[in-house]
Amino acid sequence: MMFQQAIVRKPCKALINGLTDHPELGAPDYEKALAQHAEYVKTLERLGAKVTVLEADENYPDSCFVEDVAVLCPECAVLTRPGAPSRAGEVEQMAPVLEQFYPKEKIFSLQPPATLEGGDVMKVGKQFFVGLSHRTNQEGINQLAQILAPYGYTVTAVPFEGVLHLKTGAVYLENGQMLMKNTFFDMPCFAEYKKMVVPDQEDYAANCVWFNGKVIVPAGYPTVLEMVKKAGYETVLCDTSEYKKIDGGLSCLSLRFSPQTENLAE
Ligand code: CIR
């Protein structure tokens, strides 16, 4: 599997008012966040993606976290319904962007009372693990399952606590390998996978990103970096310190996908 495309949105100045469960970390520095974002884009480009960079949207402080507003697979796209009310309007902004990559009839939308954020969605081949979180409800998971079933995907709900999204705590690095916080280790749904567990003091780095054979690791987490290297991956570092302050990890900053070629607009 290779990702040909990525979509990102530049952070806006209102980023400093982004939602956070960790106000003790302070507000992000906007200029620094902007520079880190530019590096993130370059990293994806170096790893082979064509990156669509959307302009900042000052109406939505969290709008750089594009991963949450859509679930993309080769065959179709699903616009989500964020569980955070302040983020609901971000979806409308993403809809026309997806039309550049998918025909309209392959773009689906979740309907009320569903809520679902892409940070809760972990794709493992033809299976999707979806976190049942404060942002994603069972109805959201059910609707996603119904939309994806005709394309041969199964959806498994994963109840969890303690972190914002499923992928804040556990990610799939392809090759049967997961990386996770220790609280996810014993989950029966992950029993069949190889698992690396991040130390508590580096738990932010549980959110690494597999991208075209390499693993992007957040800068500043040496134990996790070593662990991922030891598992045989080539690694690339990316600094996301400003996004961490508002609960954002590496994965939330992009939508990574390869639309089926027949989907591509002329
Ligand atoms: C939020 O609370 O919605 C944002 N401040 C952070 C979103 C992070 N998204 C993600 O992990 N996929």
Side-chain angles (χ1 to χ4, degrees):
M1 183 188 66
M2 291 288 276
F3 291 120
Q4 289 150 3
Q5 303 283 345
I7 299 172
V8 302
R9 186 182 289 286
K10 286 186 190 163
C12 57
K13 293 191 178 122
L15 176 82
I16 56 168
N17 300 318
L19 297 171
T20 183
D21 289 334
H22 297 98
E24 73 281 4
L25 298 178
D29 176 315
Y30 167 69
E31 292 299 335
K32 212 167 156 191
L34 204 55
Q36 289 179 347
H37 197 265
E39 277 305 312
Y40 182 86
V41 170
K42 272 194 211 152
T43 302
L44 293 177
E45 284 173 345
R46 272 190 228 117
L47 297 179
K50 161 130 186 25
V51 185
T52 301
V53 182
L54 307 175
E55 282 313 312
D57 185 342
E58 289 296 339
N59 295 317
Y60 300 102
D62 288 298
S63 52
C64 57
F65 300 121
V66 287
E67 176 180 59
D68 293 322
V69 299
V71 175
L72 305 181
C73 47
E75 302 86 350
C76 67
V78 182
L79 288 160
T80 67
R81 294 193 74 245
S86 66
R87 302 199 56 191
E90 293 175 31
V91 175
E92 281 163 46
Q93 313 300 316
M94 187 55 73
V97 180
L98 295 185
E99 286 173 21
Q100 295 169 31
F101 300 99
Y102 296 89
K104 274 193 174 166
E105 67 275 15
K106 294 285 174 62
I107 304 177
F108 301 91
S109 292
L110 299 185
Q111 304 302 325
T115 66
L116 185 139
E117 296 189 0
D120 278 318
V121 178
M122 185 206 288
K123 185 173 180 299
V124 178
K126 292 296 270 189
Q127 184 169 18
F128 282 88
F129 291 104
V130 185
L132 190 55
S133 69
H134 293 295
R135 301 286 182 88
T136 296
N137 63 17
Q138 187 62 51
E139 177 63 18
I141 297 175
N142 294 347
Q143 288 188 21
L144 185 71
Q146 264 178 10
I147 292 168
L148 295 178
Y151 301 102
Y153 292 100
T154 55
V155 172
T156 305
V158 185
F160 70 90
E161 277 174 11
V163 287
L164 177 63
H165 289 126
L166 174 63
K167 282 188 294 189
T168 319
V171 296
Y172 186 56
L173 300 181
E174 303 299 320
N175 314 308
Q177 179 74 62
M178 289 190 174
L179 175 72
M180 55 181 57
K181 265 170 71 78
N182 60 6
T183 45
F184 288 73
F185 185 79
D186 286 327
M187 289 186 171
C189 61
F190 298 147
E192 70 187 84
Y193 299 97
K194 293 178 275 176
K195 296 177 203 110
M196 294 186 279
V197 175
V198 304
D200 283 348
Q201 72 277 11
E202 294 193 15
D203 65 354
Y204 174 75
N207 183 259
C208 286
V209 170
W210 181 95
F211 200 86
N212 294 348
K214 302 208 170 73
V215 174
I216 313 174
V217 179
Y221 302 89
T223 314
V224 175
L225 179 65
E226 222 25 62
M227 196 181 271
V228 174
K229 280 185 179 165
K230 267 212 180 117
Y233 295 95
E234 235 182 278
T235 54
V236 184
L237 287 177
C238 208
D239 193 355
T240 48
S241 65
E242 299 316 296
Y243 299 95
K244 178 183 179 182
K245 294 173 181 172
I246 49 169
D247 300 342
L250 274 173
S251 72
C252 17
L253 287 170
S254 59
L255 284 162
R256 304 163 298 282
F257 63 112
S258 280
Q260 273 176 356
T261 41
E262 64 264 31
N263 281 346
L264 283 172
E266 292 295 308

